[in-house]
Amino acid sequence: VKFDEMYPHGDKEDEFKTLCTLAYPVPRFFVAEVPIQDYGTLENDALRERFKLTKEDYPAFFLFSPENKEGVRYEGDVKVDELILWLRQHGIKMSSVGTIVELDEVVQKFFLSGLEGEHISVATELAKTQYSTDRKAPMYVKIMEKIKEKGEAYVATESARVSKLLQGKVTPEKRAELGDKAKVLNVFANRGEEL
């Protein structure tokens, strides 16, 4: 739940809108907004007082769940990547910005199992069926295969290579493809974070 002024705008609001778009497909997760009016009828002011918020706190984010009926407050910067990481740490299975949550989970299992090939098979099946139209899906498979072949250090060396290419002159299409690959590589690099 986001508590904010009546008519929010700016970068923080844009980050929230991106979060909402990414949260939409997440099962049993609902994003809400509580606009607080600080003049006239003082709409929702009782909620502001209940959660001990001041105008300087806006936007304030709380996660309510069966485990956290009183709400857990987010204290970080209002950046979609950081909000998603916080939600994932609290058990909400959101994909990182621009990645595929089911394949993110397969990556976690791949590393936890000691790089077992069965997880590459699962990723291959997902890439060929459910995500056949997403160009990022085969990237997961290829990276898993390369890690199995060359070891976990492949992630760092490939990330550095992609980053260097992105700094150079490339076509817009290639830049978009490399950007997608960088996002997927980031899933592998941050595999220690809970989904």
Side-chain angles (χ1 to χ4, degrees):
V1 176
K2 179 182 85 141
F3 293 87
D4 206 347
E5 59 191 26
M6 202 66 165
Y7 301 103
H9 59 281
D11 292 342
K12 292 179 180 179
E13 181 63 11
D14 292 341
E15 295 286 326
F16 177 66
K17 288 176 183 175
T18 301
L19 177 73
C20 290
T21 302
L22 293 167
Y24 175 76
V26 178
R28 297 186 318 253
F29 180 65
F30 180 76
V31 177
E33 181 174 14
V34 177
I36 300 176
Q37 191 172 19
D38 61 350
Y39 56 89
T41 60
L42 300 178
E43 190 173 322
N44 295 321
D45 195 57
L47 288 170
R48 179 195 62 76
E49 288 178 1
R50 176 179 169 192
F51 292 101
K52 299 174 178 62
L53 298 172
T54 65
K55 189 171 183 170
E56 290 75 34
D57 293 326
Y58 302 156
F61 296 89
F62 286 81
L63 175 66
F64 297 90
S65 65
E67 300 81 28
N68 301 300
K69 291 182 180 2
E70 295 301 312
V72 176
R73 184 166 178 190
Y74 172 73
E75 300 288 347
D77 291 334
V78 182
K79 298 286 183 198
V80 72
D81 290 337
E82 294 180 31
L83 282 160
I84 288 172
L85 177 58
W86 178 74
L87 288 167
R88 289 170 68 177
Q89 289 169 342
H90 285 88
I92 306 301
K93 293 189 174 189
M94 287 193 67
S95 63
S96 299
V97 176
T99 65
I100 303 168
V101 72
E102 288 85 355
L103 286 167
D104 292 355
E105 291 171 354
V106 173
V107 168
Q108 289 284 73
K109 292 173 184 172
F110 176 65
F111 282 107
L112 289 173
S113 72
L115 312 180
E116 284 184 12
E118 75 179 71
H119 299 293
I120 297 173
S121 300
V122 171
T124 301
E125 185 62 25
L126 283 170
K128 287 181 178 176
T129 57
Q130 194 172 346
Y131 297 102
S132 61
T133 59
D134 192 326
R135 73 175 176 193
K136 291 183 294 293
M139 292 177 186
Y140 283 86
V141 176
K142 189 169 186 175
I143 293 167
M144 291 170 86
E145 290 171 344
K146 290 286 188 180
I147 291 170
K148 184 94 170 142
E149 176 189 329
K150 297 182 177 187
E152 294 183 36
Y154 170 79
V155 176
T157 56
E158 185 64 3
S159 293
R161 186 186 77 81
V162 169
S163 180
K164 188 173 182 178
L165 287 171
L166 281 168
Q167 292 172 10
K169 289 188 177 186
V170 292
T171 66
E173 296 81 19
K174 188 67 175 174
R175 183 170 300 283
E177 180 186 328
L178 290 169
D180 285 345
K181 187 167 189 177
K183 290 173 188 172
V184 174
L185 282 165
N186 195 43
V187 171
F188 286 84
N190 295 317
R191 64 191 174 274
E193 299 168 0
E194 287 222 7
L195 288 176

